[in-house]
Structure formats: C-alpha cells, structure tokens
DNA sequence: GTGAAAGCGCTAACAC
DNA sequence: GTGTTAGCGCTTTCAC
C-alpha cells in the first residue's frame, strides 16, 4: 500500500492541497470554512492519511524530535528520567531519540552532530561536565537545551536536578540526631578523566570501579585507625563497597558503623542490612525537564539560565542506628 | 550561523550541486574525478558542511532512523539491550529512537503510527505478544522489523532471544544434581491482560505486582502444606517475593528451601542469601538484533522468518544448596 | 475562505 | 566526468 498523501486527500475532498493542509493543521484550521474542514478531516481519516513528517520538517524546519543524551542507560539513575521525559514529549507530539554516549566525549560529539544535522528540535542532556565545550556550543547556537542530573559551571542553560546539597545535609543531620559525632565522607575517585587508550576498558568498568573504589577507600580508612561511627558515601555503589569491606573485617552494620548511600538505586532496599540512602525524584526531574524544553520549543527562550531548579530529595532511612555506647 | 548547504559547498568548490552531492556520497564518489572530489571534500570540511537529513530522507525515502520499542525501560532487562543495539546502529550511521509503551497497547499503536509516518527505516520490537496485530501489520507492510526478548506465535518475523528453555533445564538439572526431588515452579500471574479502566494503575504497579504475586503464591504454597525443597521462579522479582515470605515464616534459605530466579537482575547477587538465577545474554541479543536489522535494511529481506535465534544462557549459581537431610 | 505557485535541501535520471 | 532538470510532500505567502 503506497502511503496516502495530502494531495490524495485534497483530490478526494475536491479541494486544493493548500486548503487541505490548512484544514488538517490545528493552528490554521480556523481559516477554513467549518463545513469544508469537516469534510476534509473526514476524508483524511477514511483514507488513513498520515502526514509525512520528513516533508513537513523540511518545509517548516521543525522535526518534532527531541534527543536525550545519557552517559550510560544501564545506570539505573537514567531509565526513570528517560521514561518520564518521553511520556511528556510524546503527549505533546514529539518523538524522543535516546543516545547513550558510553561516557565517551568523541561518541557524544559525533552523536550530537548527527542529531543536529537531522534537525533535532531540542536536547535534554544528562552528560554535562563542569567544563563542557559541547554544551557551550549548544548554548551559543541557541538550540533549545535542558540539563538534567549534572550541571555545568557556566550555568548558561536551564538545569533540573535533585537537591543534592540538601540530601547530604539530611544524611548528616540524621546521623547527628542519632548521636553520631564521628562521621566520615567517602567521595570515591574524582579523576574520571582518562587517557585515550585505557578509556574504553575504563568505561566498561566504570560502575564496578566506583564500587571497588568504595571498598579501597574503606580499607584505607580502617588501616588508618581513624575513629568513626558512621560513613556517608558519595553514591550507593561506593556504599556497597564499604559494606563489603566492613563485613570482611567483621565490623557489624549498623550496630558498630552506620552507612549512608546516595541515589536509592533499585534493590538497595533489599540489601542486608538495608541501606539508608538519599532518593532523587527521578521521574519528576524527567517530567520537568521535558516541560521546560517544551516551553522553550513552543514559546522561545525562557529567561535563559534563570531556570536552575533543584527538586526535593528524600532520605530513605533503613539501615542506620545510634552509635554503640563506648 | 545559518547552516551551510550543499549549494554553498558546490559554489565554493566551483562545481554543480549534483557533482558535490556525488562526491560527498560514498556510494557515488567513484563517479567523480578524484581531484575534483578531493577539492569538494576539502571545501565541505572547511565550511563545516553537514547534510540535511530531512531533505535527504525526503528525497531517498530513507531516514536512517531505527526505532526500538520496549514495554518499560525501567525494567533492568532492557537497558543493556538498548545500549548494545544503539552501539551497532550508531556505528552504521543510524539513529536510534527509543519508545517506551508503558505496557499499553494504545500507546504502542500511536507511537508506531507516528514513527512510521516519520519514515522510520526499521523496528526492533521488545513488546511482542503471542498474538499481536501490530506486528502482523508490520510484517505485512514489509517494514524491516526484528523481535527481541519476546516472540509472537506466528513467527513471521526474525526473532533474537535467550534460550529460556535451556535456562529452565539448567535450573532444574542443577537442583536435581544437588539432590532435590521436590521442586515447585512458580510462574506468577498469566493474565496480564486487563480492563481499560484499571490498566493505568496496573501498569504502574506491574513490577511490584509480580513481586507481590510471587509472595502470594508462595504463601498459598505454604498453606497447602505441599512438600518441597526447592522453588524455581518465573523471574527474579517473583523469586524475591518468595524469599520474603519464606523469611517471614522463619524458613531458612537455602538450608531448608533453595530458590532459583530468572534474569539475573542487577544487584540480585547482593541479596542475602544471594539468588541463584539464569542470566540472559542481553548485550549479545541487542547486538545481534541490530545486526540482523541492518542486514535487512541494506540487503533486503533475509530469508524471512527463518531467523529465529536463541542465544545461550548461563546459570549463575549463588544461593542454592543440597536439601537438608530428613 | 480558497486557489495558485513557490520552495525547503537534496538526489537521481538523463543529457552531453 | 559533469551539468541540467525535475521532484520527494508539505506549508505558506500572495492573490482573488
């Protein structure tokens, strides 16, 4: 079955293609006599007319495509955001393209280039680095773009994220309230930049790495004989590394040491002991990012850079107790 | 900066747009004098020429877009497949569109319609039902399509999946080898079809539901006083539901009852006790699905329907032991 | 309120 | 080997 085109509809309805176009387009439907319009709409439906998005895009230079760029979709942080964003965009008639950069700059650059060539209307970027030329390029070229999850240093683009600072505060206050006075913070490795050669292997290993890193730091901590009754980890994986090492050394959690993670990854509530952790509102972030982008798409730049939204986080209290009496 | 077009390149290189087009297109580059071609390529690069995919697509009726349709991207089964597929497709110059149908027929139909209107070149479908009109439509209209994860009854389309049957056999043989003679299989609810009204709520709950379902069935099992020393669950979530109920009843795992899951979801190895489960080669499935689709895209139908590939699965032995002596 | 006509940027016959 | 021409399907000025 060759697809039915606008001309076909027009012919069948006995009108000019231009009129059919106007009738079928919500924006311009008012310009057409309501009887004619009804007839056209009817015929279109009967014939099963579906507009050719390519042709339309070529003419209007709008593709109704939005791309979401994530570093690694297997990281459980992202699927809920992706899903939420897609829901909103899809309802608004947009198609979401997902790209996984595999944590690689070059890949990201190539992907972005291809997407922009394809006429992508806007971007939701979850790959921001503090200093990020790609994002500068996007900002400069005025392609509607919203940042999620991570922000850049320049703050030139709208950003939607979880309020991590408050999350940390909640964690610490919780421990303090329990009576902990010696709390250690383990951030894991900071230098995620890597040489070109080992980068591929590294990218594969990045998630394990952080868990391993947590274990390593915890080990050093134990060796250093520093006094502590609680540990706050930079993320759940690090926390899990810590838990392993503590278990390895026969240190009981949470009776001897309380541990807090970050992110509330799927299933961390099923760990033994369950992990207290900070939950980010991932769906809300996805929704809001999509809405923010839509606003730019439909109504132009929205007070650029002013949109720096931090959504509330939640401390999931599960495996923390007061420190053991001396 | 207004984007540089093919005409601009042609003008700058002192040739006709047609020639520039040929020179820049790998397929037809041979038709152009190599000196001229080099000059054109040079100019194109200097000017930062990026072809307009919309215009090209309109002309060639190929969009270089492939869509992957999944029921729920937050189900950890899918991200590895999506990621793997995207890698392959992206290398071949294709863009991957991800759509999450939210386990909903209507949504799926709408999405498919829009995607097809957008000129999507091919589909990777992870949402197949045994009896699936959408897929029949795709098959009939000869849109290149590959099925993953779930197959249809008709087998009219290429399918790539894990060898679940062997997985189950491995699980059972493993238990048998350990000496189990009373093994129960819990499949969870079969009737995932639902009335329209409660479907939205249901879809939200579907994952929990299966876990809850596992718990419920396990509870019934205990009440029935049936003798068993091992349980094989239809998936990891059901297995987790089972584990909870057993723990609730003070039944020790694996000493009193061994449990086996299916899927090797992220983190199930961190459960206590760790869960023995069957691991599907998700990345390989994604890769192969993409390759299969590419083959169709580039070289036409590949012995349609004959491609029904089951990739090897692996039993991750973690939390199973011999049954306790009577 | 509707028809006419031009053109978005590109490629593929067809000439020469 | 390269220029010419036409047209993919749609929208949008401009007439009337």
């Amino acid at each position: 079955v060759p697809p039915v085109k606008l001309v076909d509809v027009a012919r069948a309805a006995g009108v000019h293609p231009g009129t059919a176009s106007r009738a079928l387009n919500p924006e311009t439907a008012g310009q057409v006599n309501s009887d004619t319009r009804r007839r056209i709409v009817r015929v279109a439906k009967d014939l099963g007319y579906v507009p050719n998005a390519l042709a339309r895009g070529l003419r209007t230079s709008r593709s109704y495509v939005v791309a979401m760029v994530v570093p690694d979709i297997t990281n459980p942080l992202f699927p809920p955001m992706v899903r939420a964003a897609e829901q909103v965009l899809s309802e608004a008639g947009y198609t979401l393209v997902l790209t996984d950069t595999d944590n690689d700059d070059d890949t990201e650059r190539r992907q972005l280039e291809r997407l922009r060539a394809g006429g992508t209307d806007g971007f939701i970027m979850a790959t921001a680095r503090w200093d990020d030329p790609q994002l500068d390029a996007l900002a400069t070229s005025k392609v509607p773009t919203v940042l999620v999850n991570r922000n850049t240093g320049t703050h030139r683009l709208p950003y939607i994220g979880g309020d991590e600072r408050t999350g940390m505060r909640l964690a610490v206050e919780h421990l303090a309230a329990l009576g902990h006075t010696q709390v250690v913070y383990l951030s894991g490795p900071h230098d995620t930049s890597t040489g070109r050669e080992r980068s591929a292997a590294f990218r594969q290993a990045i998630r394990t790495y952080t868990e391993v890193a947590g274990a390593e730091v915890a080990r050093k901590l134990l060796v250093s004989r520093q006094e502590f009754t609680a540990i706050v980890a930079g993320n759940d994986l690090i926390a899990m590394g810590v838990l392993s090492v503590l278990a390895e050394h026969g240190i009981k959690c949470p009776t001897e040491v309380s541990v807090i993670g970050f992110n509330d990854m799927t299933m961390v509530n099923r760990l033994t002991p369950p992990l207290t952790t900070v939950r980010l509102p991932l769906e809300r972030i996805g929704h809001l990012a999509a809405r923010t982008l839509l606003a730019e798409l439909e109504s132009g730049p929205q007070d650029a850079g002013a949109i720096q939204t931090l959504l509330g986080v939640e401390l999931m209290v599960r495996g923390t107790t007061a420190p053991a009496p001396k």
Side-chain angles (χ1 to χ4, degrees), chain A residues 204-249:
Chain A
Q204 295 298 333
I206 199 164
R207 290 174 55 194
T208 319
Y209 182 42
T210 51
E211 189 168 352
V212 169
E216 263 171 30
V217 188
R219 225 168 253 125
K220 284 194 192 133
L221 195 59
L222 291 177
V223 171
S224 78
R225 304 225 152 261
Q226 197 183 328
E227 294 270 322
F228 60 90
T229 58
I231 297 180
V232 177
N235 63 49
D236 288 343
L237 290 171
I238 292 175
M240 284 166 56
V242 169
L243 289 176
S244 310
V245 169
L246 293 179
E248 209 174 80
H249 285 249

Side-chain angles (χ1 to χ4, degrees), chain A residues 100-243:
Chain A
D100 184 319
T101 65
D102 193 21
N103 273 302
D104 183 53
D105 266 15
D106 260 18
T107 310
E108 178 172 339
R109 207 172 27 66
R110 276 197 306 275
Q111 311 272 39
L112 281 179
E113 187 175 282
R114 170 142 20 122
L115 289 166
R116 294 186 56 184
T120 305
D121 287 340
F123 290 88
I124 299 178
M125 307 285 299
T127 55
R129 282 158 300 129
W130 190 249
D131 184 9
D132 197 324
Q134 318 276 18
L135 291 182
D136 288 344
L138 284 173
T140 311
S141 61
K142 309 239 190 264
V143 186
T145 303
V146 173
L147 271 31
V148 290
N149 184 49
R150 304 191 206 149
N151 206 345
T152 47
T154 56
H155 295 242
R156 291 174 61 193
L157 292 165
Y159 167 76
I160 321 285
D163 186 351
E164 313 220 336
R165 187 175 299 237
T166 301
M168 273 302 165
R169 191 170 53 70
L170 289 178
V172 172
E173 284 178 3
H174 168 69
L175 290 172
L178 287 174
H180 290 271
T181 51
Q182 290 155 322
V183 178
V184 172
Y185 176 64
L186 300 187
S187 73
H190 265 291
D191 63 327
T192 44
S193 65
T194 73
R196 186 70 59 92
E197 301 74 21
R198 61 192 177 95
S199 69
F202 171 76
R203 292 196 306 274
Q204 295 298 333
I206 199 164
R207 290 174 55 194
T208 319
Y209 182 42
T210 51
E211 189 168 352
V212 169
E216 263 171 30
V217 188
R219 225 168 253 125
K220 284 194 192 133
L221 195 59
L222 291 177
V223 171
S224 78
R225 304 225 152 261
Q226 197 183 328
E227 294 270 322
F228 60 90
T229 58
I231 297 180
V232 177
N235 63 49
D236 288 343
L237 290 171
I238 292 175
M240 284 166 56
V242 169
L243 289 176

Side-chain angles (χ1 to χ4, degrees), chain A residues 31-50:
Chain A
Q31 304 171 18
V32 72
N33 178 300
S34 40
D35 276 350
T36 349
R37 189 185 58 228
R38 261 193 289 279
R39 196 171 72 246
I40 296 174
V41 170
R42 176 117 202 66
V43 172
K45 180 160 280 176
D46 286 354
L47 264 49
Y49 169 70
V50 183

